[in-house]
Amino acid sequence: MSMSDIKSSDNKTSAATTNVLDYAISDQNVLIVGGGHVGLSFALLLAHQGIASTLIEKNRYPSISPNEDVKRSHYLDCRNTALSRRTVQIYQQIGLWEALQSHACRIDSVQISEQGSFGHAKLNKEEENVESFGQVMENAWLGRKLLLAVQNSPLINIIDGATVTEVVQSQTDVTLIYDSEAGNEQRLVGNLLVACDGRDSTVRNLLDIGTTNYDYQQCAIVGVVQTDTPHQHAAIERFSPAGPLAVLPLTDAAGDGNEPHQAGYRRSVVWVCAKGEEQPYLEDEALFLQALQKAFGQRAGTFVRAGKRGAYPLTRVLAQQQIHGRCVIMGNAAHTLHPVAGQGFNLCMRDAEALAKMLARQVMLGEDIGDGAMLASYEQARKKDQKRVIRFCDAVVHGFTNPNPAVKIARNLALIAFDKLPNVKPLVATYAMGLKS
Ligand SMILES: Cc1cc2nc3c(=O)[nH]c(=O)nc-3n(C[C@H](O)[C@H](O)[C@H](O)COP(=O)(O)OP(=O)(O)OC[C@H]3O[C@@H](n4cnc5c(N)ncnc54)[C@H](O)[C@@H]3O)c2cc1C
């Protein structure tokens, strides 16, 4: 049975919503626009608190049978996400980690260095006395497992293939108007609307919320590579004149005819080059491998194969406000960041967890989940963590791309100091793992 068979047909919307509310601890409900990783995760966090939601997604989801054993993604499939320890804890708390962990690869050490410089820094899990610094997860696996969990939740109603056209707010509720794939105009009423519809958020535009944008003039090329040396669970961050480069460990992929290359030779790469220069690296595997080798030296051994690459132009997009009446802007719709430090999704997850907990408290107290004062306090509570992560990502990008020789020497000294000063590493590690906000 496909997910669309279960919940997405438009003419079943109102009935499905009624059934959903039968399981909820309150008759208040949340409308979530955008079913990417953040929207799906937020719906699951709400369900964990007993709060019903309806998830409205623009695209049709693929059919996934609940009984189908989800196949391992392709050996060199392209996108991966570094999950911080905090994000892993959040998935553990909602009982999802068990399903996710078979495709998650532990990060035991983090190495930071710059091409053509002597300074470097290393974080080890033993020294920092932690289980790991986080896990690297295949996006395809994360998406499918989140979707299956959402599909199986009695508290989440899914409407996919829906184009949002209007948001109307009143004192007591919010109405979402959308066009179904069949071209029919439909309406949904909720107590709160949460927009998780990505960087170019339609809801944010409909609410007339402005953004502050910055074009890094860079493009991230992502892919999976194979090296001749096992990764030993090391995450390696390298800064080169072309841009930052991160190589992360991945789990093996069995059953695809690549068994001789198993046991830790598979890695995820995020390589950043100047905007407009990406095309040859997408088309020519040998050229891409050569560029990686040049930037990286032998830190990861020899790069021997690369899978299909994807390109992402890099912009920072920050919503000027994250609350508007009964609407909350979340995920990339609220803050799209440079991927240099692998912080974007992790920050979104901390936002999602915080809001889910505040809504649960409102429900427990019998209060309105769209209450303006409560939503304002959510925005206020999340500001510090968001600002810190945004500043950190920017400082890393700008600090390491400045070619000025004096700045380069300062960077070297900073890396050496970071490596040697006793109290700095644990603090940075704690922030990078998302354990402090
Ligand atoms: C190269 C790269 C590497 C990254 N690596 C990491 C990492 O290692 N760690 C990390 O923490 N973060 C990382 N990030 C950031 C992370 O990918 C994002 O923060 C995350 O994907 C945001 O998810 P989202 O659900 O908010 O947005 P999206 O993934 O953009 O999802 C938005 C969803 O909304 C839907 N939608 C859009 N418009 C509408 C509409 N009008 N109506 C209904 N639905 C709509 C879309 O179809 C989509 O499903 C990386 C980003 C990049 C570019």
Side-chain angles (χ1 to χ4, degrees), residues 32-40 56-59 61 79-84 87 136 139 162-164 195-203 220-222 248 270 310-314 330-348:
I32 302 171
V33 179
H37 291 170
V38 175
L40 290 166
I56 300 100
E57 165 59 38
K58 180 174 69 174
N59 295 316
Y61 283 122
R79 290 199 60 188
N80 301 281
T81 299
L83 305 180
S84 70
T87 299
V136 188
N139 278 19
T163 308
V164 173
C196 302
D197 51 349
R199 189 187 65 176
D200 303 319
S201 171
T202 303
V203 171
I221 301 181
V222 301
L248 304 171
V270 180
Y312 298 84
L314 299 179
M330 189 181 268
N332 268 15
H335 36 67
T336 301
L337 308 181
H338 195 291
V340 65
Q343 297 281 323
F345 179 65
N346 293 306
L347 179 64
C348 299

Side-chain angles (χ1 to χ4, degrees), residues 67 70 89 126 149-150 153 292 311 314 386 403 405:
N67 301 323
V70 180
Q89 284 173 355
E126 288 82 13
V150 162
S153 170
L292 291 183
L314 299 179
Q386 292 176 358

Side-chain angles (χ1 to χ4, degrees), residues 75-328:
Y75 179 67
L76 294 171
D77 193 2
C78 104
R79 290 199 60 188
N80 301 281
T81 299
L83 305 180
S84 70
R85 284 197 54 212
R86 183 77 200 103
T87 299
V88 172
Q89 284 173 355
I90 294 171
Y91 284 132
Q92 281 169 340
Q93 280 158 18
I94 60 172
L96 204 67
W97 185 245
E98 211 176 303
L100 291 173
Q101 65 182 356
S102 63
H103 279 224
C105 191
R106 243 181 26 245
I107 300 175
D108 287 350
S109 66
V110 181
Q111 301 167 21
I112 308 165
S113 62
E114 184 180 5
Q115 192 180 350
S117 298
F118 49 86
H120 67 273
K122 190 168 179 183
L123 291 163
N124 271 314
K125 68 169 186 174
E126 288 82 13
E127 275 173 30
E128 306 313 322
N129 201 18
V130 293
E131 215 177 275
S132 74
F133 290 106
Q135 305 268 349
V136 188
M137 169 72 60
E138 294 169 26
N139 278 19
W141 183 258
L142 179 62
R144 294 187 80 167
K145 285 293 172 185
L146 289 174
L147 187 54
L148 272 177
V150 162
Q151 211 180 307
N152 290 331
S153 170
L155 285 175
I156 308 169
N157 179 39
I158 305 169
I159 300 171
D160 56 356
T163 308
V164 173
T165 55
E166 213 178 328
V167 175
V168 182
Q169 302 197 63
S170 77
Q171 290 282 29
T172 52
D173 52 38
V174 49
T175 303
L176 186 74
I177 302 165
Y178 67 93
D179 289 333
S180 70
E181 266 184 345
N184 304 324
E185 190 178 276
Q186 306 278 336
R187 280 165 187 264
L188 281 170
V189 181
N191 303 86
L192 174 71
L193 187 154
V194 180
C196 302
D197 51 349
R199 189 187 65 176
D200 303 319
S201 171
T202 303
V203 171
R204 195 184 60 210
N205 291 336
L206 287 171
L207 295 174
D208 226 2
I209 296 177
T211 55
T212 310
N213 300 356
Y214 179 81
D215 187 342
Y216 290 100
Q217 299 293 331
Q218 291 178 336
C219 184
I221 301 181
V222 301
V224 173
V225 296
Q226 185 194 312
T227 53
D228 71 345
T229 311
H231 55 62
Q232 296 176 318
H233 296 271
I236 313 176
E237 184 97 32
R238 178 97 169 137
F239 294 90
S240 76
L245 169 69
V247 175
L248 304 171
L250 285 177
T251 50
D252 295 342
D256 59 2
N258 283 291
E259 279 74 7
H261 308 300
Q262 299 303 300
Y265 294 83
R266 195 165 161 266
R267 309 191 197 214
S268 165
V269 171
V270 180
W271 184 55
V272 176
C273 66
K275 198 166 143 185
E277 288 180 6
E278 62 276 10
Q279 206 52 36
Y281 300 104
L282 297 177
E283 288 164 8
D284 187 339
E285 181 185 350
L287 184 74
F288 181 60
L289 292 173
Q290 206 181 16
L292 291 183
Q293 204 69 60
K294 188 172 170 217
F296 232 67
Q298 282 298 317
R299 265 162 199 80
T302 302
F303 292 92
V304 291
R305 279 177 72 196
K308 191 169 175 279
R309 275 87 56 211
Y312 298 84
L314 299 179
T315 45
R316 181 186 63 213
V317 179
L318 305 177
Q320 282 162 359
Q321 61 192 83
Q322 291 174 30
I323 304 297
H324 185 293
R326 294 180 168 271
C327 300
V328 178

Side-chain angles (χ1 to χ4, degrees), residues 404-417:
N404 184 321
V407 178
K408 195 166 176 173
I409 292 170
R411 281 200 295 263
N412 255 290
L413 294 174
L415 278 178
I416 294 167

